[in-house]
Amino acid sequence: MIHMYTRLKQTYLNPALDFRVRLFNVLAIGGTAISLIMGLLSAVNNGGAFTVAVNLAVAALSFGLLTYSRRSGRYQICYMITITAIFIVLFPVLFFLSGGYHSGMPAFFVFAVAFTIFMLEGKKAVFFSLSELAVYIAICIIAYRYPDTVRFFETEQEVLTDIIIAFMTVSVVLGVCMFLHFRLYNEQQRKLDEQNNLLAQANNAKTEFLANTSHEMRTPLTVISVNVQTVMGILEDMDEALKDPDAQKLLQNAQGEIMRLARMVGGMLTLASISEGADKRKVDLSALLRGAANMLQLTLLKRGNTLVTEIHDGLAVFGDADFLSQVAVNLIQNAHAHSDQGCISFGASQGGGKITVTVRDNGTGISPELLPRVFERGVSEGGTGFGLYLCRTVVESHGGRIWIESEPGRGTAVFFTLPVYEGQYGGDAA
């Protein structure tokens, strides 16, 4: 007996099976056993040959679906046959043969609707469950209006027995279904927690590696940059006859590449810091943007570019001042790098619950092929490929949006928005 139970459990209730498959197997096994019992009780209580035949037909159909689904794996078809043939057709027949609403059949109606919602999904579940409700309400009304259509039990004892059997059966089967449902939910939740922990560990390891690598790269880059600048200074002090223009050009190119790598390392460190979480608080964005503009005024003059600002007063956001300042600096430097003797406008205004910042230049612009990909990491026209990617990461981490408009030969405009500060907790204004 124990061996049979173990084999039955392993075959039909194996945890490796899908949740709906196990529920269907529970229903089919329960339906087979219950229908056989009800058929035997009908025979003993002189319930009539037709009632006995219907119960045996339900038992045979339940067992047949159980066997077919296990061998073929076509559970969806078995779900539909169960719902249409048993719940919508045979249950109403048994309702009229077994006492109508003066019996235990209404309890099976509740189970049928619950099982349908468990088995099906979306619109199909809604349609069939509502169809079952409509059928069951209709047959109850028919039984009330036309009581001669119902075969009532002859004694109260038979009524009581039927109700107790129905109540116990539905309670047990629904209880098993709910038990399986919650156990599966707990299993999935546990697996999800384990996966989240693994992902968190991998992300922390990646962030730590990125930060450590960036710090390790920064030191030799600084040393090389200082040495190159020293050699360039020595060459400038040498007699004109001893100067080698090719050597100076090579050193200038090397210094340019060193600075590009240094900016890339800085971007990597910033990305690592963002992944660890920004230190957000109320930020006076008007002052922050004006400070970034003033800091870059002299740099822009080296190429003859002018910076025109139109930053409204009283702009405040909830965020990390260092990250937001880096976004402003990156965008202005990008405009400067692609402009010569040009005008760069830098503005910020508030409206509709958000602040819009604009950096516009009349420089070389961006090619149409590159424009859709400029915010991807590693995509650039001569830059590091980190600048705009970093800007997008910072802006989106602050709940904002960034986009770009450009036309080759006519300039570029970059826009980003940030939510207006609305009293979020985070400390004093920075």
Side-chain angles (χ1 to χ4, degrees), residues 289-298 307 309:
L289 296 177
R290 290 191 183 109
N294 292 334
M295 181 177 65
L296 295 172
Q297 287 282 5
L298 293 178
L307 182 64
T309 60

Side-chain angles (χ1 to χ4, degrees), residues 43-172:
V44 171
N45 293 329
N46 298 317
F50 187 67
T51 303
V52 174
V54 171
N55 278 291
L56 293 178
V58 173
L61 181 57
S62 298
F63 182 76
L65 290 172
L66 178 68
T67 305
Y68 175 75
S69 61
R70 184 175 66 84
R71 293 179 178 177
S72 68
R74 303 177 69 179
Y75 286 94
Q76 286 293 331
I77 293 177
C78 295
Y79 299 161
M80 299 306 299
I81 293 174
T82 301
I83 292 168
T84 54
I86 296 179
F87 295 164
I88 296 179
V89 177
L90 291 178
F91 271 17
V93 173
L94 286 172
F95 173 81
F96 287 106
L97 292 175
S98 305
Y101 48 77
H102 294 289
S103 69
M105 279 307 299
F108 287 102
F109 295 165
V110 173
F111 170 74
V113 175
F115 176 83
T116 300
I117 294 173
F118 270 127
M119 290 297 101
L120 304 181
E121 294 180 351
K123 295 180 179 178
K124 188 182 291 185
V126 173
F127 172 77
F128 279 100
S129 59
L130 290 178
S131 299
E132 289 169 355
L133 286 172
V135 170
Y136 298 152
I137 292 172
I139 61 177
C140 286
I141 294 173
I142 293 171
Y144 173 76
R145 296 289 300 273
Y146 305 100
D148 56 322
T149 60
V150 179
R151 181 189 174 280
F152 294 102
F153 291 107
E154 295 181 359
T155 65
E156 284 295 317
Q157 182 180 352
E158 292 178 353
V159 175
L160 179 61
T161 302
D162 189 74
I163 291 175
I164 290 174
I165 291 173
F167 174 74
M168 291 182 60
T169 302
V170 171
S171 297
V172 170

Side-chain angles (χ1 to χ4, degrees), residues 1-12 29:
M1 188 70 178
I2 296 176
H3 176 71
M4 181 181 296
Y5 170 76
T6 303
R7 183 177 178 183
L8 187 71
K9 182 179 178 181
Q10 183 65 26
T11 304
Y12 297 107
I29 293 170

